Amino acid sequence: MAIAGHAEPLPSSLTLGARVHSWVVSVDHKRLGMMYVGFGLLFFLVAGLEAAAMRAQLARAGSQLIDPTTFNQLFTMHGTTMVFLVGMPILLGMANYLVPLMIGARDMAFPRLNAFGLWLFIFGALLLYYSYIGAQGLYGTSAAPDVGWFAYAPLTSRTYSPGNSTDYWILGIMVSGFGSITTAINLIATILVMRCPGMTLLRMPLFPWMMLVTSVLVLIAVPVLTGAQAMLLLDRSFGAHFFDTEQGGSAVLWQHLFWFFGHPEVYILVLPAFGFLNEIVPVFSRKVVFGYSLMVAATVAIGFISLGVWAHHMFALGLSPEMNSFFAASTFLIAVPTGIKIFTWLGTMIGGRIEFATPMLFATGFLAMFTFGGLTGIMLAVVPFDWQLSDSYFVVAHFHYVLFGGTVFGIFGAIFYWFPKATGRMLSERLGRWFFWILFLGFNLTFLPMHVSGILGMPRRIYTFQPDRGLDLWNLLSTAGVALQAAALLLFLWNVVHSLLRGKPAGNNPWNAWTLEWATSSPPPDWNFDRIPTVGSARPLWDVANPHDPDPSPEAHG
Amino acid sequence: MARRFMRFNRASVVCSVTMLAVLTAPSFAVDVAPICTPMGGEPLQSTSILSPISPPAREIHSLAALVVGVCAAIFIVVEGALLWAIIRYRRRAGDRGEPVQVFGSNPIELAWTVIPLVIVFVLALATVRTIKDVQRTEPPAGALTVDVIGHQWWWEYRIADEDGGPPVVTANELVVPVGRPVWLRLASADVIHSWWVPALNGKTDLVPGRFSNTWFEAEQPGTFLGQCAEYCGTQHANMLLRVRAVDDAQFESWRTAQAAPARDPASFAAGHSIFLRLACMNCHAIDGSSSGAFGPNLTHLMSRETIAAGMAPLNRDTLRAWLVDPQQLKPGCNMPSLQLTDPELDALVDYLSSLN
Ligand SMILES: [Cu+2]
Ligand SMILES: [Cu+2]
């Protein structure tokens, strides 16, 4: 093929130290991307263990397995880790790896800034976890943050959270937040100026499109969190009173600032996963995406609207009826472009010849679960209904359907899809299917009952629950579901290790896919492409494979 | 193939069962919390949001029924289409070549933009209407006004006296008349809490430095349960709510009893003097003896059914256990253990149990 690159055999003479060194000093977007994903998966295991410990405690009413303070640290660290140290790095890491390849570039626009971002993230993550050792001074007992991942004021003030654990939370997230900001700038620059000849914005694959919108959201939302955290730091250490209610500070201000970041963050975590689906669903349905332009428009619309819905996290605060109505309306509105996406994928599948390889299994699981989570989201937008459901286990169920059934399923689909590209070897399909089905079962067994617990009146973030409220069975089921998920993850780990060593060689394009990353070798050479490709449509490899039926170029198409 | 299938089948099952044991066994191996038993007595009302016994909760319930219905219909249509696509369009053995490429269709795309718009527009209208009905900014006519103050990890209630007298102050258990609206003015002494009794109304936060309101009207007598719904620190899980709705006559006699001065401590002089001598009086108010406001008002302690914000039934045993070490029953709570000796404990329990 004219646009293919070729693989350099790894010089096997390198010592281990030299290999590690070559990774540490690397500014190659592919290596940085893989390190992001690797660290993200590592923290996924950590956060998973934290979740498992919580479910062990909640297996039974009145259990005393884990004491309240430890439990409160567990859910704080679980939430913080999943959002900032799992979701963000894995998604930004995948973008790092894929975007230059998909747009036919040799690297990101700012390779060294890229490496800087990765190391900031790692440093921030270590700083957060160092709190377990250092939060009360090396000689005191250890203490991780226990203020919850959205750290509402004034619980975070020195009065109610003495010690340094909250400061570690602030600093760790702040530092890794700077990392995210640099990556966002880099992605925007890369997507806007580094596209290969012929690739107009409307011939760009949809994943880079999703990443463009995501990066803009990161750039707008994360600095607001960073600023709020700086204010909190000033409160805690330098006598400021932004959020100090005893001195006239405002607890509500923190919520506005946090959720102005927090809601776009939800879309920052899910838009890239939408991007994965936009690549996977068409390829495995063997059919071009149904309504490319509307998909792009819906994404941009989501980006805009998501900046104006934040107070739907604050309906129970007793804001004015007018405020509540406004934010309910904007939240309803965002359901429309989100729905468009789901319909687009359905429209793509219908009429196709769908092959249910593991990536497609996960994409389909995503569609099924995300739809459910989206619909419970609509229920939560109904303000009076939210007054009952908010801060209950129903909400916990809702956002796990969106972020686990959605984002995490999308990530696993993406890993199965692009692993061959990154490593040159296929993951085992058989193990992959087992993994999917056990995870799917375990996921639903864990989170479906949580809707019921919430409806029965169980608030979130409680270390124990009352025995006389009909909650016992539902909680036990949730715990059992976690056991299945843990088993599934062991299977996945085994699959990765085994396939890295023994997996079937992948070849350039194992899935007969259509975008540029499949035109080069697996793994791609350092320089990605021997010659910078030139494209005439959004699916260059389709055009090569089907010369009699090439894609119309979007300009001509209208 | 079949053998391999069996092997992984077995491996996965073994793996899952082991995990299940690892996760659940420890919790069943350790004892449950010391006094964590359901409380007997009159039947308690369910904490489910599906059994509303108050107008706002009822309105929310019927709006919820509409919304859940609409969402269920959408769910069936979308997941049905998905299932159909999975079954009808999966690749079959004989399939050769690529299917027809369809790049989109303006009418279809327009349809799946406009129809959802119409649906959410209707839902938004219904939402705004119910907000207007449920979220009052003025007290309903004839309402009983109660100030609720959230403390790390207990509730303070101040029931206004319509005749201008001082309010009745009590803790953790609110008694209200059946069939009369109750207007709650919510405030917090420390961090954010949230007042949530699902059968009566949705939750409203108690925010320091700010006042918020909510209301309800118990339509039948009974004990309604709930708990704090905004994470507020260590013992957030045990900041339980209890509202007892009784008929007018019972309410008035309860109120009169609560407004009465505390029992004369003369016959419990030993316990009384310990109470005054130790730090108790700095944190607790007993009418006529002390005015501490950091902990619950104890003037009519024994008129309550539970201790420690609903954690355990209140009786001599639990009271004593509490005084021996509050941290045992409610680890992390804001009452320290005062290291009392046995005779001191006996005397204090005698005194406190006389306060009804
Ligand atoms: Cu949101
Ligand atoms: Cu509370």
Side-chain angles (χ1 to χ4, degrees):
Chain A
M1 172 166 312
I3 41 186
H6 70 280
E8 283 286 278
L10 253 185
S12 51
S13 54
L14 282 181
T15 63
L16 182 67
R19 272 166 194 264
V20 171
H21 180 259
S22 77
W23 280 84
V24 171
V25 299
S26 176
V27 293
D28 175 10
H29 73 101
K30 297 182 291 299
R31 287 186 165 204
L32 294 172
M34 286 198 274
M35 284 193 275
Y36 266 120
V37 175
F39 274 101
L41 287 175
L42 194 73
F43 281 111
F44 185 65
L45 292 184
V46 174
L49 285 176
E50 286 158 355
M54 285 189 279
R55 283 317 320 172
Q57 158 71 5
L58 291 175
R60 183 183 189 200
S63 164
Q64 298 194 99
L65 196 60
I66 292 179
D67 66 86
T69 306
T70 307
F71 188 92
N72 297 344
Q73 293 169 350
L74 283 173
F75 70 66
T76 303
M77 292 301 268
H78 169 79
T80 308
T81 306
M82 281 298 191
V83 170
F84 296 101
L85 310 186
V86 178
M88 296 288 271
I90 293 186
L91 296 169
L92 292 179
M94 300 284 270
N96 236 308
Y97 190 97
L98 293 170
V99 165
L101 284 167
M102 291 177 112
I103 63 172
R106 294 213 193 276
D107 203 324
M108 297 275 274
F110 310 112
R112 282 191 295 178
L113 186 67
N114 204 8
F116 180 62
L118 171 78
W119 293 105
L120 274 186
F121 153 68
I122 292 175
F123 179 63
L126 294 181
L127 198 58
L128 178 68
Y129 270 86
Y130 180 72
S131 64
Y132 268 110
I133 304 166
Q136 292 190 353
L138 274 173
Y139 305 102
T141 47
S142 67
D146 60 352
V147 289
W149 87 274
F150 41 75
Y152 273 0
L155 189 62
T156 47
S157 72
R158 276 243 175 268
T159 320
Y160 304 108
S161 295
N164 296 329
S165 60
T166 307
D167 304 301
Y168 279 94
W169 179 85
I170 297 171
L171 290 170
I173 301 311
M174 224 178 193
V175 170
S176 78
F178 280 122
S180 310
I181 294 170
T182 60
T183 308
I185 295 174
N186 214 342
L187 279 168
I188 295 174
T190 307
I191 294 170
L192 290 184
V193 302
M194 309 261 298
R195 278 167 289 125
C196 66
M199 187 177 282
T200 59
L201 274 179
L202 285 183
R203 286 183 196 158
M204 188 165 73
L206 283 165
F207 178 71
W209 255 115
M210 308 287 124
M211 285 318 303
L212 181 61
V213 177
T214 305
S215 305
V216 172
L217 283 181
V218 168
L219 212 51
I220 296 175
V222 174
V224 176
L225 175 67
T226 309
Q229 289 183 315
M231 289 156 78
L232 183 56
L233 206 61
L234 289 176
D235 271 14
R236 286 180 56 83
S237 302
F238 303 101
H241 304 299
F242 293 108
F243 310 117
D244 178 359
T245 47
E246 282 162 51
Q247 305 289 335
S250 167
V252 178
L253 176 63
W254 171 267
Q255 297 196 14
H256 278 299
L257 293 175
F258 186 89
W259 290 117
F260 185 82
F261 149 80
H263 189 87
E265 173 68 15
V266 175
Y267 281 93
I268 291 169
L269 291 174
V270 84
L271 281 176
F274 288 167
F276 299 150
L277 255 73
N278 279 326
E279 302 305 321
I280 294 171
V281 171
V283 165
F284 289 89
S285 307
R286 308 307 305 158
K287 206 166 140 276
V288 66
V289 71
F290 187 98
Y292 175 103
S293 328
L294 188 63
M295 177 58 93
V296 171
T299 309
V300 176
I302 286 180
F304 274 110
I305 306 173
S306 75
L307 291 169
V309 300
W310 74 91
H312 65 205
H313 298 268
M314 300 157 63
F315 285 151
L317 200 60
L319 298 174
S320 70
E322 293 72 29
M323 279 269 261
N324 285 338
S325 304
F326 173 83
F327 281 100
S330 62
T331 306
F332 280 127
L333 200 59
I334 209 168
V336 175
T338 311
I340 290 176
K341 286 174 173 275
I342 291 174
F343 299 133
T344 302
W345 295 316
L346 277 174
T348 306
M349 290 169 75
I350 290 172
R353 289 192 186 141
I354 311 167
E355 192 195 327
F356 286 99
T358 313
M360 189 60 187
L361 280 179
F362 274 102
T364 314
F366 176 121
L367 259 174
M369 298 298 97
F370 185 82
T371 301
F372 190 73
L375 289 170
T376 53
I378 291 199
M379 299 179 195
L380 291 168
V382 177
V383 181
F385 202 6
D386 180 82
W387 287 328
Q388 288 285 22
L389 298 177
S390 164
D391 270 316
S392 78
Y393 258 81
F394 190 92
V395 170
V396 179
H398 158 72
F399 67 71
H400 280 93
Y401 267 81
V402 177
L403 290 178
F404 196 135
T407 303
V408 174
F409 274 38
I411 287 174
F412 280 124
I415 289 178
F416 274 85
Y417 184 59
W418 280 293
F419 185 91
K421 178 50 62 185
T423 65
R425 291 182 185 276
M426 308 292 288
L427 281 168
S428 153
E429 270 295 304
R430 192 163 39 86
L431 287 178
R433 274 160 221 248
W434 276 104
F435 170 52
F436 170 77
W437 282 110
I438 299 176
L439 190 68
F440 185 80
L441 270 181
F443 164 77
N444 281 293
L445 187 57
T446 307
F447 296 110
L448 207 53
M450 286 187 187
H451 294 97
V452 184
S453 317
I455 286 173
L456 292 180
M458 179 165 169
R460 66 195 284 199
R461 302 178 157 181
I462 55 177
Y463 77 93
T464 187
F465 59 93
Q466 303 299 307
D468 51 356
R469 301 187 180 186
L471 298 170
D472 304 61
L473 172 66
W474 308 107
N475 277 285
L476 189 57
L477 286 179
S478 288
T479 302
V482 172
L484 280 182
Q485 296 188 53
L489 284 175
L490 284 183
L491 219 58
F492 172 71
L493 286 183
W494 167 245
N495 194 350
V496 170
V497 173
H498 187 259
S499 303
L500 268 180
L501 302 174
R502 301 250 164 80
K504 210 166 70 191
N508 287 2
N509 189 2
W511 312 113
N512 283 321
W514 305 312
T515 38
L516 285 178
E517 77 272 30
W518 304 105
T520 186
S521 58
S522 310
D526 281 353
W527 50 92
N528 288 355
F529 302 95
D530 284 353
R531 269 191 299 128
I532 291 293
T534 303
V535 302
S537 78
R539 297 193 299 168
L541 300 201
W542 166 275
D543 298 345
V544 172
N546 301 275
H548 55 283
D549 181 25
D551 278 6
S553 92
E555 278 81 343
H557 181 61
Chain B
M1 184 66 212
R3 261 198 25 234
R4 272 205 188 152
F5 179 88
M6 287 306 292
R7 205 173 77 216
F8 269 101
N9 199 357
R10 217 177 310 135
S12 314
V13 170
V14 170
C15 210
S16 310
V17 171
T18 320
M19 288 291 161
L20 187 63
V22 169
L23 281 181
T24 49
S27 174
F28 284 89
V30 299
D31 288 336
V32 294
I35 320 181
C36 185
T37 50
M39 272 160 250
E42 63 191 299
L44 303 173
Q45 301 288 349
S46 161
T47 50
S48 163
I49 67 173
L50 302 179
S51 30
I53 308 196
S54 159
R58 211 175 274 293
E59 282 203 47
I60 294 176
H61 184 244
S62 35
L63 175 64
L66 169 77
V67 176
V68 172
V70 171
C71 288
I74 300 175
F75 180 78
I76 290 171
V77 170
V78 175
E79 305 279 350
L82 180 62
L83 262 183
W84 178 67
I86 291 173
I87 294 166
R88 170 69 184 75
Y89 294 104
R90 65 185 313 143
R91 200 187 23 236
R92 278 158 232 280
D95 286 348
R96 193 130 333 123
E98 306 280 20
V100 183
Q101 303 295 304
V102 185
F103 288 81
S105 144
N106 286 343
I108 296 180
E109 291 171 34
L110 194 67
W112 66 42
T113 310
V114 173
I115 297 174
L117 255 176
V118 172
I119 296 177
V120 298
F121 185 69
V122 172
L123 288 179
L125 287 185
T127 301
V128 171
R129 217 191 56 194
T130 313
I131 293 178
K132 284 244 146 52
D133 289 349
V134 174
Q135 188 178 6
R136 301 277 173 100
T137 44
E138 296 290 321
L144 174 76
T145 302
V146 178
D147 286 321
V148 186
I149 301 156
H151 295 259
Q152 275 183 324
W153 304 292
W154 60 280
W155 305 91
E156 175 180 346
Y157 290 107
R158 297 172 160 265
I159 297 128
D161 182 15
E162 282 88 359
D163 306 330
V168 162
V169 182
T170 183
N172 296 329
E173 291 172 20
L174 178 62
V175 177
V176 297
V178 170
R180 179 171 167 199
V182 179
W183 175 248
L184 300 181
R185 297 193 297 208
L186 309 169
S188 167
D190 37 50
V191 301
I192 302 178
H193 304 276
S194 195
W195 198 90
W196 186 31
V197 179
L200 299 178
N201 198 343
K203 58 188 74 61
T204 311
D205 291 352
L206 296 76
V207 185
R210 192 172 188 276
F211 289 92
S212 40
N213 305 301
T214 187
W215 70 287
F216 65 85
E217 181 186 325
E219 290 165 343
Q220 42 176 275
T223 299
F224 303 89
L225 302 178
Q227 67 189 91
C228 176
E230 184 64 78
Y231 175 62
C232 56
T234 315
Q235 276 295 343
H236 166 55
N238 287 309
M239 189 165 163
L240 307 178
L241 280 157
R242 214 173 168 85
V243 176
R244 198 141 48 87
V246 296
D247 64 37
D248 271 342
Q250 278 172 300
F251 174 71
E252 282 312 327
S253 70
W254 176 82
R255 175 143 77 174
T256 316
Q258 294 290 315
R263 167 75 61 93
D264 178 11
S267 33
F268 304 94
H272 186 233
S273 77
I274 294 170
F275 184 86
L276 295 181
R277 187 155 47 76
L278 295 175
C280 316
M281 62 170 289
N282 296 332
C283 293
H284 292 286
I286 293 184
D287 222 19
S289 299
S290 69
S291 58
F294 185 72
N297 185 307
L298 302 179
T299 307
H300 299 286
L301 173 67
M302 296 313 283
S303 70
R304 310 207 266 264
E305 293 168 340
T306 64
I307 188 169
M311 278 192 85
L314 174 58
N315 53 45
R316 282 188 66 101
D317 295 340
T318 52
L319 186 56
R320 192 183 161 99
W322 177 258
L323 296 179
V324 169
D325 186 5
Q327 302 298 322
Q328 193 66 34
L329 179 64
K330 197 167 182 175
C333 79
N334 280 333
M335 173 160 156
S337 161
L338 289 165
Q339 319 282 350
L340 304 171
T341 61
D342 268 342
E344 283 174 329
L345 280 169
D346 291 334
L348 252 183
V349 171
D350 283 343
Y351 169 54
L352 291 178
S353 349
S354 77
L355 299 171
N356 55 11

